[in-house]
Amino acid sequence: MTERFIGIDLGTTNSCVATVEDGVPTVIANKGGYKTTPSMVAITESGRRLIGHIAKRQAITNAQNTVYAAKRLIGRKWSHASVEPARQVLPYKLVEGELGDVRIELREKAYAIPEISAMVLTEMKRIAEEHCGGPVEKAVITLPAYFNDGQRQATKDAGRIAGLDVIRVINEPTAAALAYGFKKNITKRVAVYDLGGGTFDISVLDIHEGVFEVLATSGDTFLGGEDFDQRIVEWLVLDFVKEHKIDLRTDVMALQRLRDAAENAKMQLSLSVSTEINLPFIITADSKPDALHLQRTLTREKFQELTADLVQRSITICERMLQEARLTTSDLNEVILVGGMTRVPAVQAAVKSFFGLDPAKSVHPDEVVALGAAVQAAALVGGAKGEEEKPTMLLLDVTPHHLGIMIAGGYFNVLISSNTTVPTSAMHTFTTVRDDQTTVKIVVLQGDSRVAQENELLGEFLLTDLPAGPRGTVEIDVRFDISSDGIVSVAAKDKTTGREQSIQVTASSRMSEDELSNIMGANDEFAVAEKNAEQFQALKNEVERSLRDIDRLLPGVRDFISASELGDGALKKIDAVKERARAAMQAQDIEALKSVHEPLDRAVTMLKGVTDRIAKP
Ligand code: ADP
Ligand code: MG
């Protein structure tokens, strides 16, 4: 018998588990018949642990000890910009862990976030085992494409704590595409738009006869249904303040009831154009004899007005991703909607209008990710139960963030750019920055900012006892590897002696806040510098290619642009950036060259878009 395996969609709000039975991907319902389980965990007064639906049901009366949306905190450091705002609004208590990580305190015990996620995973494992009638260990777990290395590691840790053998973590949109394209002999370019409870992801993939190749991915780990709910809550709160001069947010129970009511109203508005919000006895005021009630009508129109900017934010991310991938919406054949929030009419309308496509009908937004995870698990375990032939499937995913090291001056030097297909590796040579510098510190970063400090720190290590010599002459090779899971390892080698040091960047290798600020500080003592020549040449090649593209495309569209809404301003901008590029190449100024790289790319994308538009009647 082949081994049992499952795919788990560990969602911010809801989780779902699936397997492949007789060659058919199938979602496993729990005993109550529910196909999804709230990703919620609670500890009762008597110390009992509640997970899923029963945790959700008692959330109002036990708000401080009920955890929801823990995924928003997984793999985050206490110092991360998102933690403080979360602390302000969450009913449960966040405390700083020993390693500078975030912990959740429930009934005087502090839990690491992977521990909380592990409780949800344990429940999913249990649901599967009940269904299969025996132990299940092998699992593929999904995560947002935009998760960085720390978040990926922490998710794998959660699986391990839950007693699962996590054979792979895959990106949610990729999983959705796998389920969509499973056993269909199609050639299509699809966009997967996933708006869930806490996160937003967008990916573009080519599906071609069993090969799934991700072309680009982007997202926002702080954009989801919770934000929409929050808007309704704020609207209700402000109204209540106006009327009664009482801020309901100061009362934990009232706030939890508001949040519940807001979510219900939002869901109702997917079906009807208006809904009633009724919260009797919401609060008692010292000055008033009776408890106060809250009653409001929320129309779909008002809801859309309150949340229009959130919907637009997701579209802007889609736009940016296509631009970076040098694609336009006309390159796409299909758009797949994933996540509970894609039931919101305004979201559907925005997606349809931006992509100019009707979303695929065959996809169940709550189940498709888990199904895809199961499909991937089947492929990895080697043949689903009852199936004669191995599923033939190849998955080529990409890394969502730039990866590199800090160099002298506090800059971020990228070794592997975002949207590179994984697994991948890259090598680059760096040099010392001072005469007789015998130690260098390799600071490994992931992110999108040119300033080292603004990126996520993955880890660091020292390379000591380098041969003494004039600055710039001692060379160090740094090699990065990213696995199919998107997990990073780094090795550095002193070229003269051949001595090597490496780390696998693990969640547990994370360091204390003090160490952190030491590393990220302006301390250049152990800095490395780029060995410029090669990188300069590579960048120059790219810039020259863009300049050639511009020179080729511009003459055909110049008049059109000038007459269009873009106007002469757009043409002037292109000329200016071309000028800057030429000057940078002349001056051999790598920093200046880097700064024109992206604007040039954008110009090419724009020109291609216009060329296409003119070509089409
Ligand atoms: P996640 O993957 O982050 O766990 P889901 O895909 O399960 O999230 O989506 C959960 C979100 O979808 C929640 O914010 C929930 O309120 C919202 N949602 C679910 N059903 C509907 C609906 N019918 N109309 C509007 N929003 C919905
Ligand atoms: Mg989801």
Side-chain angles (χ1 to χ4, degrees):
M1 196 186 76
T2 41
E3 260 171 305
R4 292 197 185 92
F5 57 83
I6 47 176
I8 302 176
D9 170 8
L10 177 64
T12 312
T13 323
N14 297 298
S15 295
C16 182
V17 58
T19 188
V20 179
E21 281 173 347
D22 301 327
V24 182
T26 319
V27 167
I28 304 174
N30 67 14
K31 273 222 168 114
Y34 294 105
K35 290 190 167 177
T36 60
T37 299
S39 307
M40 289 175 87
V41 168
I43 308 288
T44 66
E45 212 172 337
S46 62
R48 219 155 62 86
R49 204 177 264 188
L50 307 177
I51 304 161
H53 293 280
I54 45 173
K56 184 167 187 171
R57 259 176 242 133
Q58 53 85 69
I60 289 177
T61 52
N62 186 26
Q64 276 124 314
N65 299 294
T66 304
V67 182
Y68 65 89
K71 186 172 166 181
R72 283 192 154 182
L73 299 165
I74 201 163
R76 290 279 188 221
K77 284 186 284 280
W78 184 253
S79 56
H80 192 270
S82 63
V83 173
E84 188 50 36
R87 211 156 73 104
Q88 304 282 343
V89 298
L90 291 172
Y92 50 85
K93 189 171 167 195
L94 301 185
V95 292
E96 183 174 358
E98 274 165 32
L99 298 166
D101 57 338
V102 181
R103 308 244 161 150
I104 296 176
E105 196 176 288
L106 303 171
R107 303 212 183 264
E108 271 140 46
K109 182 172 172 346
Y111 296 85
I113 312 295
E115 280 183 274
I116 300 282
S117 298
M119 295 181 203
V120 177
L121 290 172
T122 307
E123 178 68 8
M124 305 319 288
K125 180 174 186 274
R126 199 189 57 76
I127 291 170
E129 289 177 340
E130 227 169 63
H131 170 85
C132 299
V136 176
E137 267 164 18
K138 294 219 173 320
V140 168
I141 302 177
T142 61
L143 29 72
Y146 224 53
F147 262 18
N148 64 31
D149 185 77
Q151 293 166 306
R152 282 166 199 270
Q153 290 284 357
T155 304
K156 281 193 110 174
D157 286 349
R160 233 169 283 141
I161 299 169
L164 290 165
D165 171 11
V166 183
I167 46 180
R168 181 74 55 87
V169 291
I170 63 171
N171 296 329
E172 288 158 9
T174 313
L178 281 182
Y180 166 80
F182 182 65
K183 285 197 173 163
K184 282 190 204 133
N185 201 1
I186 49 171
T187 296
K188 267 188 181 173
R189 183 166 289 169
V190 302
V192 180
Y193 176 104
D194 178 354
L195 189 59
T199 54
F200 170 66
D201 269 304
I202 175 75
S203 292
V204 173
L205 297 95
D206 271 345
I207 305 178
H208 178 67
E209 289 171 7
V211 179
F212 295 75
E213 183 180 7
V214 182
L215 301 181
T217 187
S218 190
D220 186 339
T221 42
F222 282 86
L223 178 61
E226 306 253 341
D227 302 299
F228 289 69
D229 302 350
Q230 191 59 30
R231 291 291 167 84
I232 302 179
V233 169
E234 279 160 21
W235 176 72
L236 291 170
V237 165
L238 288 182
D239 231 58
F240 203 82
V241 169
K242 249 189 247 154
E243 196 176 335
H244 299 288
K245 312 260 174 308
I246 298 173
D247 188 343
L248 292 171
R249 282 170 299 196
T250 55
D251 185 289
V252 180
M253 181 132 74
L255 185 60
Q256 188 56 42
R257 281 180 71 193
L258 278 175
R259 200 177 285 120
D260 253 34
E263 186 182 7
N264 284 329
K266 173 188 72 179
M267 297 210 254
Q268 197 53 47
L269 291 175
S270 297
L271 299 169
S272 39
V273 292
S274 165
T275 186
E276 292 297 316
I277 298 170
N278 243 319
L279 293 167
F281 307 105
I282 183 82
I283 204 160
T284 45
D286 299 337
S287 55
K288 310 222 165 92
D290 298 318
L292 299 169
H293 313 303
L294 185 150
Q295 188 172 20
R296 295 281 290 159
T297 303
L298 179 61
T299 62
R300 188 185 279 174
E301 204 183 336
K302 182 70 193 173
F303 170 61
Q304 285 173 3
E305 183 193 313
L306 292 171
T307 55
D309 62 307
L310 297 174
V311 178
Q312 184 49 43
R313 238 167 83 194
S314 77
I315 298 295
T316 305
I317 293 169
C318 296
E319 226 166 354
R320 211 180 52 210
M321 178 211 54
L322 288 179
Q323 244 172 38
E324 277 165 16
R326 297 191 171 195
L327 295 168
T328 64
T329 49
S330 54
D331 295 320
L332 303 170
N333 312 115
E334 185 88 274
V335 53
I336 302 174
L337 293 183
V338 182
M341 282 300 294
T342 59
R343 294 207 184 82
V344 172
V347 171
Q348 290 179 356
V351 170
K352 193 176 156 181
S353 130
F354 176 72
F355 289 101
L357 290 165
D358 273 314
K361 292 276 180 307
S362 63
V363 174
H364 194 301
D366 295 331
E367 299 172 9
V368 66
V369 171
L371 290 171
V375 165
Q376 175 70 42
L380 291 173
V381 171
K385 247 195 291 178
E387 205 186 21
E388 311 79 46
E389 91 278 32
K390 264 191 177 188
T392 49
M393 199 186 75
L394 178 62
L395 178 57
L396 301 169
D397 214 327
V398 298
T399 173
H401 303 278
H402 296 316
L403 195 63
I405 70 170
M406 178 162 92
I407 54 166
Y411 289 109
F412 180 33
N413 186 272
V414 174
L415 277 113
I416 298 176
S417 332
S418 59
N419 291 328
T420 302
T421 304
V422 292
T424 184
S425 56
M427 248 256 298
H428 191 67
T429 306
F430 294 88
T431 67
T432 49
V433 289
R434 289 177 299 111
D435 294 338
D436 297 330
Q437 179 183 349
T438 54
T439 300
V440 296
K441 187 180 271 179
I442 306 295
V443 179
V444 184
L445 302 164
Q446 191 168 37
D448 305 300
S449 171
R450 286 207 47 232
V451 180
Q453 288 227 23
E454 291 171 3
N455 296 290
E456 192 83 10
L457 174 70
L458 297 187
E460 53 101 35
F461 55 96
L462 286 175
L463 206 58
T464 51
D465 301 324
L466 299 172
R471 72 187 145 137
T473 59
V474 180
E475 298 189 341
I476 305 115
D477 281 341
V478 178
R479 187 190 152 92
F480 269 40
D481 283 282
I482 308 181
S483 73
S484 316
D485 281 339
I487 285 170
V488 177
S489 40
V490 188
K493 190 160 92 182
D494 152 15
K495 262 185 148 170
T496 330
T497 65
R499 255 174 341 101
E500 185 167 319
Q501 282 202 49
S502 61
I503 46 167
Q504 202 205 11
V505 188
T506 56
S508 49
S509 75
R510 322 215 126 207
M511 53 221 80
S512 76
E513 276 316 289
D514 279 355
E515 288 173 292
L516 262 178
S517 48
N518 271 341
I519 296 164
M520 298 293 269
N523 173 4
D524 257 1
E525 196 183 346
F526 300 135
V528 290
E530 268 180 274
K531 192 172 153 246
N532 275 346
E534 289 161 42
Q535 222 219 351
F536 182 80
Q537 191 54 45
L539 196 60
K540 188 163 163 251
N541 290 346
E542 284 190 37
V543 165
E544 280 174 340
R545 197 184 60 199
S546 296
L547 286 174
R548 274 198 305 275
D549 283 348
I550 291 176
D551 288 341
R552 179 171 54 81
L553 294 165
L554 192 57
V557 296
R558 188 177 273 280
D559 293 343
F560 182 86
I561 290 178
S562 174
S564 77
E565 71 277 10
L566 296 164
D568 288 334
L571 294 171
K572 284 215 185 84
K573 267 195 206 154
I574 294 178
D575 287 341
V577 72
K578 273 171 64 181
E579 195 45 53
R580 270 168 55 208
R582 299 225 160 89
M585 287 194 284
Q586 186 92 52
Q588 307 241 336
D589 181 345
I590 190 159
E591 293 309 322
L593 207 53
K594 278 181 186 169
S595 75
V596 295
H597 186 208
E598 208 201 302
L600 279 175
D601 263 11
R602 272 205 306 270
V604 172
T605 310
M606 191 270 275
L607 292 175
K608 279 190 178 154
V610 175
T611 309
D612 284 353
R613 235 199 302 166
I614 296 178
K616 269 184 214 152

Coordinates of all heavy atoms in Angstrom, one line a residue, residues 11 62 443 457 547:
G11 N -4.9 28.3 6.6 CA -5.3 29.6 6.4 C -5.3 30.6 7.6 O -5.2 30.1 8.7
N62 N -14.8 34.5 25.8 CA -13.5 34.1 26.3 C -12.4 34.8 25.3 O -11.4 34.2 25.0 CB -13.3 32.6 26.3 CG -12.0 32.1 26.8 OD1 -11.4 32.8 27.7 ND2 -11.5 31.0 26.4
V443 N 25.9 39.3 6.3 CA 24.6 39.5 6.8 C 23.6 39.2 5.7 O 23.6 39.8 4.7 CB 24.5 41.0 7.3 CG1 23.1 41.3 7.8 CG2 25.5 41.3 8.3
L457 N 16.0 40.5 8.2 CA 17.3 39.8 8.5 C 17.1 38.3 8.6 O 16.3 37.9 9.5 CB 17.9 40.4 9.7 CG 19.2 39.7 10.2 CD1 20.3 40.0 9.3 CD2 19.5 40.2 11.7
L547 N 17.4 49.8 -23.3 CA 17.6 51.0 -24.1 C 17.3 50.6 -25.6 O 16.6 51.4 -26.3 CB 19.0 51.6 -24.0 CG 19.3 52.4 -22.7 CD1 20.7 52.7 -22.6 CD2 18.4 53.6 -22.6

